[in-house]
Amino acid sequence: MRAKKTAKAKPVARAANHAFVSEVPDRIRRLINSSLEIDEVLNLSMHLMEKTVGATASSILIYDAETNQLKFYLATGDKKDILKVIRMPADQGVAGRSFQTKRTLLIPEAAKSPFFYNKVDEKSKFVTKNLIATPIEVKGKCIGVLEVLNKARGTFTSDDARSLKAISREISIAIENARLYDEVKRAYMDSMLNMAKAEKYRDGDTGLHIERCGAYAFALGPALGFSPKDLESLKLSMMMHDIGKVAIPDAVLLKPAKLDPAEWEIMQRHTSLGGEILGRGPHMKLALEIATCHHEKWNGSGYPQKIAGNQIPLSARLAAIIDVFDALSSRRPYKDPFPPEQVVSMLQEGSGSHFDPELVQLFISRIAEMREIYNTTTA
Ligand SMILES: [Fe+2]
């Protein structure tokens, strides 16, 4: 249901004479240029925006092309958690109208507006009294809507609407920057993963070992405090743990017999070579620490740095267990898979010497799940 244009919504005039119009966007621009994560930038921007226009709540809705809906990406106020699961048709409500027309709408009395979509209020138990909605545009394309709701004193003004419009421009830059950053990060990670897979094929492996290593880490990550956002990165980083082997000569990597001391020294270099290949960009931190430290041992007898205990990054301590568990469970040209009970005993034997005891305990407490991952990701 789309309302006619006779409504009380007031498209906002062009003139800009509001004290905050340049000041607040400038502050948001500084936030964007800081090292904060995108959600932190947006949350801080929203609180700044609320303070600026005297709103009691605000939200950012993002368009989902698959469902043709607007979904609440971020919201403030006491109903923010409920709002996260609410979606609304992209052609309804004040937000929908703003999205479709790419115009800033000032609604002094929500209840009297023909655009008002009260189902969001019904579901969230929030009472919208007045609001402003303004489109978020990236390169001329509307990607969502920014809203402020319920002015603490009085009702929103045209100056408020102009401030919001200016803030929306900054927010759209933040969103676009984050999207581009994710794209670059993903492209970089993908190319690294392809190198890791190529190495595994060269090694005579089917590539499933690295798939499984990623899957174990993804399953265990939350118990180790990795946020949902970091889990994908942990998984990809775990899959690249042996990427340094691409730089190990075939004569050593593919030697069908035991390595002599000189060859073993060359083989051990795959850890530091992995670190060099991955580089030192901020988004490669996990991959770098895993590739470099996954052969370190809890008691300091590993390589390449012989660091011990908590000096070894948590991700690398996890990688050590995962790598050994999968190797022990798998067939190799020189050995059959060890029986599941023996694999558990061997991990327990390495607790406190090779492995972090707490992580061994966690891994074994989830052993059924780990075996399930092994069985479902094995050719
Ligand atoms: Fe390795």
Side-chain angles (χ1 to χ4, degrees), residues 57-118:
S58 60
S59 52
I60 291 176
L61 296 103
I62 296 292
Y63 179 62
D64 179 352
E66 264 182 41
T67 59
N68 195 33
Q69 289 175 316
L70 287 166
K71 61 179 180 182
F72 286 87
Y73 179 71
L74 282 177
T76 67
D78 57 354
K79 307 295 182 192
K80 63 181 179 186
D81 292 330
I82 306 171
L83 286 171
K84 274 181 192 165
V85 295
I86 296 178
R87 288 167 169 245
M88 57 188 288
D91 57 357
Q92 290 194 21
V94 176
R97 181 77 182 164
S98 175
F99 177 75
Q100 298 289 339
T101 60
K102 294 188 184 175
R103 294 173 82 181
T104 300
L105 300 177
L106 170 58
I107 309 291
E109 283 183 84
K112 290 186 182 173
S113 169
F115 299 141
F116 186 59
Y117 182 73
N118 63 4

Side-chain angles (χ1 to χ4, degrees), residues 238 293-296 315-325 347 354-355:
M238 195 63 71
C293 302
H294 69 280
H295 286 294
E296 299 290 357
S315 59
R317 282 181 267 146
L318 178 66
I321 297 174
I322 281 175
D323 197 20
V324 170
F325 167 78
L347 291 179
H354 188 164
F355 309 121

Side-chain angles (χ1 to χ4, degrees), residues 9-311:
K10 298 175 186 170
V12 176
R14 274 178 298 162
N17 190 25
H18 194 265
F20 293 110
V21 166
S22 62
E23 183 193 327
V24 173
D26 279 351
R27 289 172 71 182
I28 292 176
R29 210 168 296 135
R30 284 197 291 276
L31 283 174
I32 294 170
N33 292 330
S34 68
S35 58
L36 295 173
E37 292 281 329
I38 177 67
D39 284 3
E40 286 177 275
V41 170
L42 294 180
N43 264 316
L44 288 168
S45 301
M46 287 162 77
H47 285 295
L48 202 54
M49 175 176 81
E50 285 172 17
K51 211 172 155 191
T52 302
V53 300
T56 54
S58 60
S59 52
I60 291 176
L61 296 103
I62 296 292
Y63 179 62
D64 179 352
E66 264 182 41
T67 59
N68 195 33
Q69 289 175 316
L70 287 166
K71 61 179 180 182
F72 286 87
Y73 179 71
L74 282 177
T76 67
D78 57 354
K79 307 295 182 192
K80 63 181 179 186
D81 292 330
I82 306 171
L83 286 171
K84 274 181 192 165
V85 295
I86 296 178
R87 288 167 169 245
M88 57 188 288
D91 57 357
Q92 290 194 21
V94 176
R97 181 77 182 164
S98 175
F99 177 75
Q100 298 289 339
T101 60
K102 294 188 184 175
R103 294 173 82 181
T104 300
L105 300 177
L106 170 58
I107 309 291
E109 283 183 84
K112 290 186 182 173
S113 169
F115 299 141
F116 186 59
Y117 182 73
N118 63 4
K119 287 198 175 123
V120 173
D121 275 14
E122 277 173 19
K123 286 180 191 166
S124 66
K125 310 290 177 211
F126 184 84
V127 180
T128 304
K129 294 172 188 159
N130 43 50
L131 74 154
I132 309 171
T134 193
I136 302 170
E137 292 182 64
V138 172
K139 292 177 187 160
K141 191 180 169 193
C142 196
I143 61 158
V145 176
L146 177 64
E147 287 183 331
V148 283
L149 303 108
N150 294 359
K151 181 124 175 159
R153 288 183 190 173
T155 189
F156 292 116
T157 65
S158 294
D159 276 347
D160 294 334
R162 278 191 288 275
S163 292
L164 195 68
K165 210 171 166 182
I167 290 167
S168 170
R169 279 196 287 273
E170 299 307 323
I171 282 181
S172 71
I173 292 168
I175 291 173
E176 177 64 354
N177 284 352
R179 192 188 65 75
L180 290 173
Y181 181 80
D182 279 352
E183 229 171 58
V184 170
K185 179 179 166 186
R186 167 62 68 172
Y188 190 64
M189 285 260 189
D190 281 353
S191 60
M192 289 296 129
L193 266 178
N194 287 336
M195 277 176 72
K197 280 181 186 165
E199 182 279 314
K200 281 294 158 195
Y201 283 108
R202 179 169 159 255
D203 201 5
D205 191 276
T206 58
L208 292 174
H209 169 67
I210 65 170
E211 300 280 344
R212 289 191 298 265
C213 285
Y216 303 133
F218 191 82
L220 294 170
L224 297 175
F226 286 90
S227 68
K229 201 166 59 103
D230 291 334
L231 280 181
E232 187 65 18
S233 185
L234 176 68
K235 176 183 155 187
L236 294 173
S237 300
M238 195 63 71
M239 292 171 76
M240 292 188 274
H241 67 277
D242 269 343
I243 193 167
K245 285 186 180 174
V246 295
I248 300 297
D250 283 358
V252 173
L253 187 69
L254 305 178
K255 186 178 176 182
K258 197 168 183 278
L259 300 179
D260 65 32
E263 290 165 337
W264 180 233
E265 200 189 315
I266 293 170
M267 182 61 120
Q268 289 187 345
R269 287 187 207 151
H270 79 275
T271 48
S272 36
L273 286 168
E276 283 175 32
I277 289 168
L278 290 166
R280 303 196 177 270
H283 51 272
M284 297 306 284
K285 183 178 172 285
L286 272 177
L288 186 68
E289 62 190 28
I290 291 173
T292 310
C293 302
H294 69 280
H295 286 294
E296 299 290 357
K297 292 185 179 175
W298 183 254
N299 63 7
S301 67
Y303 63 89
Q305 300 174 82
K306 298 194 182 304
I307 48 176
N310 290 330
Q311 286 179 303

